[in-house]
Amino acid sequence: MNPRARRLRPRSVRTRLVLISTVLATVAVLVSQAAGLAVMRSWLTGQIDHRLTQFRPPPPAAYAPAHGRPPNAPVPRKDALPSDYRVFFYTSDGRLRPDSLGSGSGRPRLPATASGLTLEKGRPTTVPAADGGSAWRVIADTEPDGRRVVIVALPLDTVEGATSKLLWFSLAIGAVVAAGVGLLGSAAVRLGLRPLARMERTALRITGGESALTVADTDPRTETGRLGIAFNTMLDQVRAALHRKDASEQRLRRFMADAGHELRTPLTSIQGFAELLVEQPSLPAARRREAHELIARDAERMSRLVDDLFLLAKLGYAPVAHRETVDLLSLAADGVGAAVVAHPGRDVRLAPLGGGGPDGSGRGLDVVEALGDAHQLSQVIANLLANACRHTPPGARVEVRVGTVRTGPDTGGTGRPGRSSATAALPAGVPACVVEVADDGPGLAAEAAQQVFERFYRGPAAGPDGAEPGSGLGLSIASTIAEAHDGRLELDTRPGYGSTFRLLLPRSVGAGPAELP
C-alpha cells in the first residue's frame, strides 16, 4: 500500500463509520437525483417529440411566396407558425433556403444541401445550435409533391434549463445530506460505541492494576454485549491462571525450602561423622563402626528422599505410562504379607469391604480388577500400610479391605464433613474399585487431617520401637499416583475413632461376584 494512502486512511473506528455512512448516504441521494433528472429530461424530450410528430406545416398558400416570389415581393410573415416552431426548407435542387417560418432567435445547425442530411423521415433527432446555444429537436418531412424537404424544429432551451436547475438542486441536496449525515452520524456512532468506550476504559484500569474489575455491558442480544461476555470470561480465565501460577510458585518455594531442610539434616550428620573419623583416626573400633553405620543410614535416608522427590516430579509431569488389568485383591494381599514381615507382632489383616451401604460388597474376598500400573498401585498400598503401622500404637489393628462401591458420601469418592483429600471429588453414583487401609488407632484432629497429604508433613511416630519418621512424602506420592489413575485418595478420621485411607479407582473392568448391579 502507498505510504501516503496509509497515512491518510482514518484509524478510528468511529471516523471510519461516519465516513462510510456519509459516503453511502450522499451516493444514494445523488443516484436517486440523477435517476429523477434522467426521467424528467426524457419526459420533457418526449413531450417535444410528441409536438413535433403531431405538427402539420401550414398549407402551401401560407409559404408559397417563400419558394418562388419575385425579387421585390414581400417577405413571408415570421409569425405564420404558432409558439416557438421553426420551419426550414430545402429547394427542389437540394439547397437550404436562408429564410424560415416561425419567430424567435437562433436556429439549428443544418447542412447546406439536402444530401448532407442524416435525419430519418418522421424520427425526431437532436442537433446542436448554429450559434452554440441550446440544442434543437428537429424532424424531417417532404412536401406532397416529394420534391422539397421541410425541416420542423423546436428549441430544447426549456428542457436544458429545467434539467440544469434540477442538477444544481440535486447537488445542493447532496451537500446538505452529506453535512447532515456527517454531524448526526457522528453523534449516533458516538452513542452506539459508548459501550466499547466503557470497555476500553475498564481494560485500561485493569492493566493499571485494578484486576477485580469486570465489564458491565453483557447483553447477549447485542454485539457489544457478547463481546463483554467474552471479555469477562477471558478475564476470569486470566485471573484463574494467575492464581494457579501464584499458588504453584508458593508451593514450589515451600517445596524447595522443605527439600533443602530435609536434605540438610542427613548431610549435616554425614559431614559431622566424616570429620570425626578424619580428625580422630585413633578412635576405638566400636566407635568407628558406629560412625560408619550412622553415615550409611543417613546416606540411605537421603537416597530414599531423592528417589521420592524424583518420583513426585515424574508423576506430576507424566501420565501413567503403562495400563493393564490389575487384581487389587492380589496387590492388597501382597502388601499385607510384606507389612507383617516388616512389622512383626502387628495385627495386619485382609478383609472384604463392608459398611459401604447397599452398593458395598461384604460377601467375601472377591477378585476386584481395575486398569492401571500394578507397580505404582502396589506402592500406594505399601505406603498406606507403612503409614498405618508407623503412626499407630503397637496394639492397634490394621485392616485392608477390597471391594467395589458406587461413589457417594457414605461409600467414598465425594466430599463430606470429616473427609479430606488432595484431589477433587469423583462424580457421585459411578462404579469404583476400592482399597481401604483402616486402623483403630487414636485418629487425627481435623487440622492434622488436612495436612497429611502435603509434602514433607510428618505426624508423630507411634511404632513399637519409636522408629524414625519417614520423609513425609509417602502420602503425597500415593495421592499423586491415585490422581494419575483418574482416581482419588481420601482420609476419613476423627480423634478416638481411628483412620481410614481409601483408594478409589474408576471401575472399567468387572469380574464375577464383585460386579455391581
Side-chain angles (χ1 to χ4, degrees):
M1 183 182 292
N2 190 350
R4 182 178 180 182
R6 188 163 50 243
R7 290 194 301 268
L8 294 177
R9 187 180 63 181
R11 298 182 180 179
S12 171
V13 175
R14 182 173 60 196
T15 305
R16 292 184 183 182
L17 290 177
V18 172
L19 286 178
I20 292 173
S21 59
T22 301
V23 170
L24 290 178
T26 305
V27 169
V29 170
L30 293 179
V31 168
S32 61
Q33 293 291 335
L37 180 65
V39 170
M40 191 192 75
R41 184 180 180 88
S42 175
W43 183 81
L44 292 176
T45 304
Q47 293 296 313
I48 291 179
D49 292 345
H50 178 73
R51 291 173 60 191
L52 287 174
T53 55
Q54 295 299 320
F55 176 76
R56 293 294 179 266
Y63 55 86
H67 294 289
R69 67 178 183 276
N72 295 327
V75 179
R77 294 174 52 190
K78 297 290 185 180
D79 57 354
L81 297 178
S83 184
D84 50 356
Y85 283 94
R86 298 289 299 279
V87 179
F88 301 89
F89 309 99
Y90 284 90
T91 62
S92 58
D93 57 358
R95 291 182 294 106
L96 178 65
R97 300 280 302 182
D99 54 357
S100 63
L101 294 180
S103 60
S105 60
R107 60 185 297 165
R109 184 182 299 170
L110 297 173
T113 61
S115 61
L117 285 174
T118 59
L119 305 178
E120 296 183 16
K121 182 180 178 180
R123 186 181 184 89
T125 306
T126 301
V127 297
D131 55 358
S134 299
W136 289 73
R137 195 73 170 170
V138 300
I139 189 172
D141 200 355
T142 58
E143 292 183 354
D145 56 8
R147 295 181 301 171
R148 298 177 181 86
V149 178
V150 180
I151 303 297
V152 181
L154 280 174
L156 293 177
D157 53 353
T158 56
V159 176
E160 293 182 354
T163 54
S164 177
K165 290 180 180 179
L166 184 59
L167 175 62
W168 286 107
F169 179 75
S170 300
L171 293 177
I173 290 295
V176 171
V177 168
V181 171
L183 295 176
L184 297 179
S186 178
V189 170
R190 185 188 299 272
L191 181 63
L193 295 180
R194 185 176 296 176
L196 289 180
R198 289 195 295 264
M199 197 177 302
E200 178 187 4
R201 290 192 295 268
T202 301
L204 291 175
R205 292 175 62 185
I206 291 174
T207 57
E210 301 181 43
S211 59
L213 293 178
T214 56
V215 175
D217 298 287
T218 56
D219 187 355
R221 297 172 298 179
T222 63
E223 291 81 359
T224 54
R226 291 191 290 271
L227 178 60
I229 294 175
F231 187 76
N232 286 340
T233 303
M234 181 188 67
L235 287 178
D236 293 339
Q237 294 177 353
V238 170
R239 293 192 190 101
L242 290 176
H243 291 163
R244 288 194 298 268
K245 178 184 176 182
D246 293 340
S248 177
E249 289 180 352
Q250 292 178 1
R251 288 195 301 268
L252 179 60
R253 295 191 192 99
R254 182 176 178 181
F255 176 76
M256 296 300 294
D258 292 341
H261 176 75
E262 292 296 328
L263 289 172
R264 182 174 58 184
T265 300
L267 283 174
T268 303
S269 177
I270 291 173
Q271 182 181 8
F273 286 111
E275 291 176 353
L276 178 64
L277 293 175
V278 171
E279 294 176 359
Q280 299 183 18
S282 59
L283 281 176
R287 293 289 305 277
R288 293 180 66 84
R289 180 179 180 81
E290 180 182 3
H292 282 113
E293 290 178 353
L294 292 175
I295 290 175
R297 186 186 306 172
D298 288 332
E300 182 183 1
R301 178 185 173 189
M302 188 167 58
S303 177
R304 290 198 307 269
L305 179 61
V306 171
D307 290 340
D308 290 342
L309 291 175
F310 178 75
L311 178 59
L312 272 177
K314 180 179 178 181
L315 291 173
Y317 291 99
V320 179
H322 178 67
R323 288 183 182 269
E324 60 182 357
T325 302
V326 179
D327 182 2
L328 296 181
L329 181 61
S330 297
L331 294 183
D334 294 341
V336 169
V340 170
V341 173
H343 304 275
R346 294 301 302 259
D347 185 4
V348 182
R349 64 182 65 178
L350 182 63
L353 182 66
D359 292 329
S361 175
R363 298 166 296 188
L365 291 173
D366 298 321
V367 174
V368 177
E369 294 181 334
L371 286 178
D373 188 301
H375 175 71
Q376 292 183 2
L377 294 177
S378 63
Q379 186 176 2
V380 173
I381 297 174
N383 285 347
L384 295 179
L385 284 169
N387 184 73
C389 294
R390 183 180 294 117
H391 297 283
T392 56
R397 185 178 63 183
V398 178
E399 190 172 80
V400 180
R401 308 163 187 158
V402 183
T404 56
V405 298
R406 290 191 182 273
T407 56
D410 296 329
T411 57
T414 61
R416 77 168 189 181
R419 179 175 294 166
S420 59
S421 176
T423 55
L426 300 177
V430 300
C433 302
V434 179
V435 178
E436 288 186 352
V437 177
D439 63 71
D440 56 0
L444 294 173
E447 182 179 357
Q450 295 295 331
Q451 301 178 23
V452 292
F453 296 105
E454 295 180 2
R455 298 176 181 179
F456 299 110
Y457 176 80
R458 292 195 298 256
D465 54 357
E468 62 175 287
S471 62
L473 295 175
L475 290 179
S476 180
I477 292 174
S479 178
T480 305
I481 292 175
E483 186 176 8
H485 283 75
D486 300 323
R488 172 180 166 98
L489 181 63
E490 60 189 21
L491 168 63
D492 283 336
T493 185
R494 57 177 176 165
Y497 289 88
S499 301
T500 299
F501 285 91
R502 185 178 299 110
L503 171 65
L504 297 104
L505 300 174
R507 189 166 186 271
S508 55
V509 178
E515 186 74 28
L516 288 175

